[in-house]
Amino acid sequence: MSNSNEIAVLNELVGDIKILIGSLSILEKAIANKDQASRMTALDAINFRVREISKFSMSLAWHISPTNPTNPTNPTGWPALPIDGVLLEISKPNPDAKVLHSLLDGHLETLRKMALSEILTLSIE
């Protein structure tokens, strides 16, 4: 992959992360306001974005490989989203936004920082 293609993919990943974080906020508000339509829309958006971000991060692990020698189970360093836990939670009749935040927030922030760092590195090269 050329640097410009990698940067475009990383920018798309950062955008998807922002959308997912926004969808989590919408879900919280919908639950608080008992707005079923917004709740269902937010859950659909979360479902879609989590799957897309997971695909992106797996793809990036193969194409852009920052090294992480301290973690032999994930030598590329790209964090894997806990997609199974998220999908399980959103499939519940009354998913809890706090549980989703606890599952995703740390991973998303790490992934976002790594993507931004990689964008900067590729821009300099």
Side-chain angles (χ1 to χ4, degrees):
M1 226 189 294
S2 72
N3 282 359
S4 61
N5 289 343
E6 290 174 359
I7 291 171
V9 168
L10 289 164
N11 277 324
E12 191 173 344
L13 173 63
V14 171
D16 279 349
I17 291 169
K18 287 179 183 178
I19 292 169
L20 178 56
I21 291 169
S23 298
L24 287 167
S25 295
I26 291 170
L27 177 63
E28 286 177 300
K29 290 175 188 172
I31 290 170
N33 296 332
K34 296 182 171 85
D35 181 351
Q36 286 294 72
S38 294
R39 184 178 151 277
M40 294 306 295
T41 301
L43 288 171
D44 285 344
I46 292 167
N47 183 11
F48 178 77
R49 291 297 167 193
V50 164
R51 291 173 190 270
E52 287 299 303
I53 292 170
S54 182
K55 280 192 267 183
F56 269 131
S57 63
M58 285 190 291
S59 171
L60 289 172
W62 290 104
H63 295 291
I64 306 170
S65 297
T67 57
N68 184 9
T70 60
N71 186 351
T73 60
N74 185 8
T76 64
W78 290 100
L81 289 179
I83 191 166
D84 293 335
V86 173
L87 296 178
L88 179 65
E89 185 62 33
I90 63 175
S91 68
K92 292 180 179 177
N94 294 309
D96 188 345
K98 290 178 183 169
V99 171
L100 291 171
H101 274 291
S102 71
L103 289 169
L104 290 171
D105 286 351
H107 293 286
L108 291 176
E109 185 60 18
T110 300
L111 190 57
R112 186 186 70 80
K113 285 179 181 178
M114 289 178 73
L116 291 172
S117 175
E118 194 65 28
I119 289 169
L120 180 59
T121 301
L122 291 170
S123 297
I124 293 171
E125 290 179 354

